[in-house]
Amino acid sequence: MIDREQYTPGPASGAQVRKDGEKWTLVLVRELRHPPEKVWQALTDPAHLREWAPFDADGSLATVGSTVKLTTVGAPVVHVTEAGVTRADAARVLEYNWGGADMRWELEALDGGTRLTLWTNIDRRFISMGAAGWHICFDVLDRLLGGTPIGRIVGPEAMKFGGWQRLNAEYAKQFGVESPGR
């Protein structure tokens, strides 16, 4: 593992917000240097999720109909929710619900890599925070898949991280929302 102190996230990019009535959706797009099959494994396998995601899973997310317990990492109080996998088209689309938020992951093959798109419902008050957090998670994921892991940076630990504060402010400005958690 390289020294995480050397990691600095790039500028806020690849994110947008969609509003449908009172429902807010954060959409994040990232191009990864790794094939869809490798990204799929990182999205569905509990051992891989423990290295980059903001939750731990007690089982694989790769099978439609499976129920997996997801435990939020770093929450002040242990927060466990059951995620029902509603769609799992290997290396293409993954859908489940995490703590009341619908999650949709799309993987598109792109020049030897993958365009990864995440749609997640989110409370309007936390959109910039969520974008900043997922931005860092995607960076950690990309490094993990590239063989240079820096370790998971999530929850309160991420919020103390200097790059997160900057990203939170940048995304808030992009989305035209106030920046909570500063």
Side-chain angles (χ1 to χ4, degrees), residues 109-120:
L110 183 72
D111 299 325
T114 303
R115 176 177 292 128
L116 178 63
T117 305
L118 167 64
W119 283 265
T120 181

Side-chain angles (χ1 to χ4, degrees), residues 17 24 122-132 164-182:
V17 176
W24 292 77
I122 192 165
D123 185 308
R124 180 186 185 283
R125 298 170 295 167
F126 305 115
I127 287 176
S128 63
M129 294 174 72
W164 183 90
Q165 296 291 339
R166 177 183 50 79
L167 284 170
N168 185 32
E170 289 175 10
Y171 281 118
K173 185 175 181 180
Q174 281 183 22
F175 302 151
V177 297
E178 288 193 31
S179 171
R182 291 184 73 187

Side-chain angles (χ1 to χ4, degrees), residues 10 14 22 25 35 43 62 88-89 97 105 113 116 120 128 142 149 155 166 168:
E22 293 302 310
T25 303
L43 294 176
D89 299 336
N97 185 286
W105 301 87
L116 178 63
T120 181
S128 63
D142 193 41
R166 177 183 50 79
N168 185 32

Side-chain angles (χ1 to χ4, degrees), residues 4 6 13 53 56 68 71 73-74 76 82 85 93 97 99 102 107 123 126 146 149 160 166 170 179:
R4 87 170 49 206
Q6 297 173 9
S13 65
D56 287 331
V68 178
T71 304
V73 175
E82 287 191 349
V85 179
V93 179
N97 185 286
D102 292 326
L107 296 79
D123 185 308
F126 305 115
K160 293 176 190 168
R166 177 183 50 79
E170 289 175 10
S179 171

Side-chain angles (χ1 to χ4, degrees), residues 23-111:
K23 185 175 172 182
W24 292 77
T25 303
L26 176 60
V27 182
L28 297 127
V29 179
R30 178 68 63 92
E31 292 183 7
L32 302 171
R33 308 164 292 187
H34 318 285
E37 296 76 19
K38 195 171 184 179
V39 175
W40 177 260
Q41 186 176 15
L43 294 176
T44 59
D45 178 78
H48 283 84
L49 289 165
R50 273 191 295 279
E51 298 297 320
W52 71 272
F55 54 77
D56 287 331
D58 75 345
S60 173
L61 291 166
T63 306
V64 171
S66 64
T67 300
V68 178
K69 288 184 181 170
L70 303 180
T71 304
T72 303
V73 175
V77 176
V78 175
H79 185 72
V80 180
T81 58
E82 287 191 349
V85 179
T86 56
R87 186 167 177 191
D89 299 336
R92 291 187 40 238
V93 179
L94 175 65
E95 295 179 358
Y96 55 90
N97 185 286
W98 175 38
D102 292 326
M103 307 284 290
R104 177 182 173 91
W105 301 87
E106 285 191 8
L107 296 79
E108 177 185 348
L110 183 72
D111 299 325

